[in-house]
Amino acid sequence: WTAGLGTWAAVFWALRRRMGPVTFVERQIAHLWAASMLGIALLFPLEYWLGLPVLTLAPVLGIINGMVFLAKAGMLSGEFYIWSALLFVAAGLMALFPDYAHLIFGVVSAACFFFPGLKYYRQRLRAIVAALRGAG
């Protein structure tokens, strides 16, 4: 899972760089992403070193990602505070319902990426349409 996301991140970053200069904010978000990936990857050996069953520390995923979205809220939009709060709540729910922890995290995490992505996608489409109307 970690290797897959890391590979995706490397491909995404290479594609992004081909589109032109990387902005300061994009670089900050990339560093947040990298830090979260390292934190998540280190949970696995940490569980081993502590003698814990695999995925015992899964609720920490919600905490790590909640921290990332909190920082993104400060850089991008206050709307990300909502997603951050949902991830922190998800961490608690994951601890309370360990049999459903990964389902809880998957649904909340997917929403946290999908809905802001949809918002920015729609903004981009509106900008393209406006530019085309202005050119025509």
Side-chain angles (χ1 to χ4, degrees):
W1 179 77
T2 304
L5 282 177
T7 302
W8 176 85
V11 169
F12 178 80
W13 190 250
L15 291 172
R16 171 56 195 94
R17 290 181 62 135
R18 293 180 75 190
M19 294 175 12
V22 176
T23 67
F24 179 72
V25 172
E26 288 174 316
R27 187 168 279 107
Q28 287 179 319
I29 292 170
H31 280 84
L32 280 171
W33 179 261
S36 70
M37 292 296 299
L38 286 170
I40 290 167
L42 289 173
L43 288 177
F44 301 111
L46 185 61
E47 286 173 331
Y48 176 76
W49 297 328
L50 294 172
L52 298 172
V54 174
L55 301 177
T56 299
L57 298 177
V60 177
L61 296 172
I63 294 170
I64 291 171
N65 284 289
M67 291 168 53
V68 169
F69 274 78
L70 186 69
K72 286 170 67 172
M75 289 185 284
L76 299 174
S77 160
E79 176 185 329
F80 283 93
Y81 289 119
I82 296 166
W83 306 116
S84 176
L86 287 175
L87 285 159
F88 288 132
V89 169
L93 292 174
M94 291 168 71
L96 290 173
F97 305 103
D99 291 342
Y100 301 99
H102 295 93
L103 177 63
I104 293 166
F105 180 73
V107 169
V108 173
S109 183
C112 290
F113 283 98
F114 177 78
F115 290 110
L118 180 63
K119 173 188 169 183
Y120 291 119
Y121 173 75
R122 287 179 174 168
Q123 283 179 355
R124 182 172 166 245
L125 283 182
R126 283 194 297 271
I128 291 170
V129 169
L132 290 174
R133 285 184 182 157

